[in-house]
Amino acid sequence: MASRLGLVGCFIVIVALVVKGSSAANYTVGDALTWTTPPGGEIAYRTWARSKTFNIGDVIMFNWTGMHDVAEVTKENYDSCTDTAIGSIQTTSPANFTLTSNATRYFICTISSHCEIGQKVTIGIGSDFWNSASSLKYGALSAVLSTIAISFLTFF
């Protein structure tokens, strides 16, 4: 019985490690582009964000030189480039934002027409934000692990 509990404990630890993944990460918005008026328009930051998997606890850093700022806004204000911020407009670089919930976050530059020409980014939490098929991977993994656990427990 004690060895059975030990094996179950090891199984739980392995599952926790697989599901948890890694610790918080720091991201510089735009990587080498940094936070600026993008040469190709809004697609630059959209492509950058889609290449990342953001998680709760990650820090998003806006780093710029010149005349820029960053404001977190609602989806409606993001779509219309309205500079009514949630909280205060950050005017000093770097400006850091910690992701504390599963909520989608929207950021814009409020200087002149910078938002209209593409200086805005959407930050979605989790790998399934941009690709709903990813959630199927986790569902399938969960089903396989559950089946293994049940089989394991009924065998012993």
Side-chain angles (χ1 to χ4, degrees), residues 51-68:
S51 73
K52 310 297 182 205
T53 300
F54 303 107
N55 294 295
I56 294 173
D58 289 350
V59 175
I60 309 302
M61 181 175 65
F62 293 81
N63 195 8
W64 68 85
T65 57
M67 291 294 296
H68 299 289

Side-chain angles (χ1 to χ4, degrees), residues 98-114:
T98 302
L99 304 178
T100 58
S101 73
N102 284 331
T104 301
R105 312 268 299 263
Y106 303 92
F107 299 93
I108 65 171
C109 179
T110 68
I111 304 294
S112 187
S113 62
H114 292 190

Side-chain angles (χ1 to χ4, degrees), residues 118-139:
Q119 193 173 0
K120 58 195 222 174
V121 65
T122 301
I123 305 294
I125 303 296
S127 61
D128 61 341
F129 179 76
W130 297 109
N131 181 7
S132 60
S134 295
S135 62
L136 295 175
K137 292 181 204 171
Y138 289 110

Side-chain angles (χ1 to χ4, degrees), residues 70-89 97 104-110 115 120-121:
V70 64
E72 184 171 3
V73 297
T74 64
K75 168 124 175 59
E76 294 75 23
N77 289 349
Y78 176 89
D79 290 339
S80 65
C81 288
T82 303
D83 65 359
T84 304
I86 298 170
S88 61
I89 297 173
F97 295 85
T104 301
R105 312 268 299 263
Y106 303 92
F107 299 93
I108 65 171
C109 179
T110 68
C115 179
K120 58 195 222 174
V121 65

